[in-house]
Amino acid sequence: MKKFIMIITGILIVLVFVIGAFIISAWAPDRPVSELTARWAQPPSVFMEVAGMNVHLRDEGPRDDLQPIVLLHGTSSSLHTWEGWTQMLKAKRRVIRFDLPGFGLTGPSPNNVYTIESYSQFVVAVLDKLGIQRCTLAGNSFGGYVSWATAVAYPDRVKAIILVDASGYKFKSASVPIGFQIARIPVLNRLAANILPRSLIESSLKNVYGEPGKVKSDLIDLFIDITVREGNRHALLERFKQSSPGEMAHRITEIKVPTLILWGARDRLIQPDIAERFNRDIPDSQIVMFDDLGH
């Protein structure tokens, strides 16, 4: 009996040590935005006051382009996701991108509202602040949802839309990043308030890439930092609660602007059949499918 107790005690000590080591290695409390701007808000980044938030924004390209392209990122992402697009477009087009409320360096909404309607209102508020009357909206994933919802709610402000693996319909994923899974589980998401293993971010990113080998160290650093930006983890939980796919799907047929639908054939989060649904429901639309790309 004494030997048995000693074995159990030893196992418990080892478990405590392992758990403690894991918590120490994965400990990642919120960080103020002031600690993150030096790396992630280099020029041409600016911060602009909109709707009670200090919005992280980049506005590049010729100012005489009166109908610019506005790029909206997806859930848990940031304006940095559009770097490649911007570099290709900005020589001839004015390109505007910004961190949506609850994400990136912009951080949480002061009123804790993350409905799809509130995001559309926010996009229009940014356009107003910049003096832009009409634009082309391009959005990836949740940003695609915001793009088409804005085109429905404010048709006079949107010239065309580009939907990149966009949300909006209810959908069934073939695979969901583990970070999103944890954010939807009540007990685990509270435990994750101060813990963020690097491996979790890496796994979540590789899950949505058609070619996981493209997930490099700098990209993982970025997603860790924008996740721990003060207030963003709580905002993500609220965003999932308040703006679910499908709640506005009946209005997709109201989209009257030219629509380009871009999709990754390897997208396992929002699978390519959703692209076909958008194409059927939006009269003036066309699809381009990329065989080697994911979400």
Side-chain angles (χ1 to χ4, degrees):
M1 185 67 179
K2 184 177 180 181
K3 186 176 181 180
F4 175 76
I5 292 173
M6 289 177 65
I7 292 172
I8 295 298
T9 301
I11 291 172
L12 290 174
I13 291 172
V14 171
L15 283 174
V16 169
F17 177 80
V18 170
I19 293 171
F22 170 77
I23 291 174
I24 291 171
S25 66
W27 187 252
D30 280 356
R31 295 176 62 189
V33 68
S34 59
E35 293 182 6
L36 305 174
T37 53
R39 183 172 185 184
W40 303 118
Q42 298 267 341
S45 282
V46 296
F47 286 86
M48 184 175 70
E49 188 70 23
V50 180
M53 288 168 277
N54 206 20
V55 177
H56 180 215
L57 178 143
R58 292 183 179 178
D59 185 352
E60 299 169 79
R63 289 300 185 273
D64 59 355
D65 182 355
L66 300 180
Q67 297 185 354
I69 298 172
V70 176
L71 305 173
L72 305 179
H73 65 78
T75 298
S76 295
S77 191
S78 69
L79 60 76
H80 297 89
T81 198
W82 299 108
E83 191 61 34
W85 279 50
T86 303
Q87 294 308 316
M88 292 296 292
L89 292 168
K90 69 179 183 179
K92 295 183 177 180
R93 297 297 307 272
R94 184 179 180 186
V95 183
I96 298 165
R97 47 191 167 135
F98 44 86
D99 292 343
L100 291 166
F103 303 117
L105 300 184
T106 295
S109 166
N111 58 12
N112 200 40
V113 175
Y114 300 98
T115 62
I116 194 67
E117 294 85 358
S118 72
Y119 277 102
S120 293
Q121 292 164 8
F122 173 80
V123 169
V124 172
V126 172
L127 297 180
D128 288 344
K129 188 83 172 185
L130 294 172
I132 295 166
Q133 294 305 308
R134 295 191 80 203
C135 69
T136 293
L137 284 178
N140 170 237
S141 194
F142 181 69
Y145 192 174
V146 176
S147 295
W148 69 254
T150 304
V152 168
Y154 302 93
D156 58 325
R157 306 301 296 272
V158 181
K159 177 184 177 183
I161 55 175
I162 305 170
L163 304 180
V164 186
D165 297 77
S167 180
Y169 297 100
K170 285 186 178 180
F171 60 87
K172 185 175 182 181
S173 300
S175 181
V176 178
I178 188 170
F180 285 4
Q181 295 179 48
I182 290 172
R184 290 186 172 104
I185 300 172
V187 175
L188 286 181
N189 60 30
R190 284 169 175 77
L191 291 175
N194 290 294
I195 296 175
L196 187 66
R198 185 177 181 86
S199 59
L200 185 148
I201 294 292
E202 182 176 2
S203 171
S204 294
L205 287 170
K206 288 182 174 180
N207 183 275
V208 296
Y209 267 66
E211 297 180 32
K214 291 186 176 180
V215 176
K216 305 299 185 183
S217 180
D218 282 355
L219 184 66
I220 298 169
D221 289 347
L222 167 64
F223 274 81
I224 288 174
D225 282 351
I226 62 175
T227 298
V228 301
R229 190 272 190 220
E230 192 172 26
N232 278 359
R233 279 178 280 194
H234 174 74
L236 176 61
L237 309 187
E238 291 300 319
R239 211 289 287 156
F240 278 134
K241 290 178 187 175
Q242 296 181 35
S243 51
S244 300
E247 61 190 24
M248 281 188 64
H250 63 285
R251 301 199 65 186
I252 291 174
T253 56
E254 298 177 31
I255 298 171
K256 304 303 181 187
V257 298
T259 301
L260 177 61
I261 302 163
L262 305 180
W263 225 269
R266 297 184 183 180
D267 191 340
R268 298 184 297 161
L269 181 62
I270 307 179
Q271 298 185 79
D273 63 294
I274 298 297
E276 301 290 344
R277 291 192 65 183
F278 275 116
N279 186 227
R280 286 195 302 269
D281 286 346
I282 302 173
D284 187 6
S285 66
Q286 60 177 312
I287 297 177
V288 178
M289 193 70 64
F290 296 89
D291 292 340
D292 297 329
L293 299 186
H295 186 67

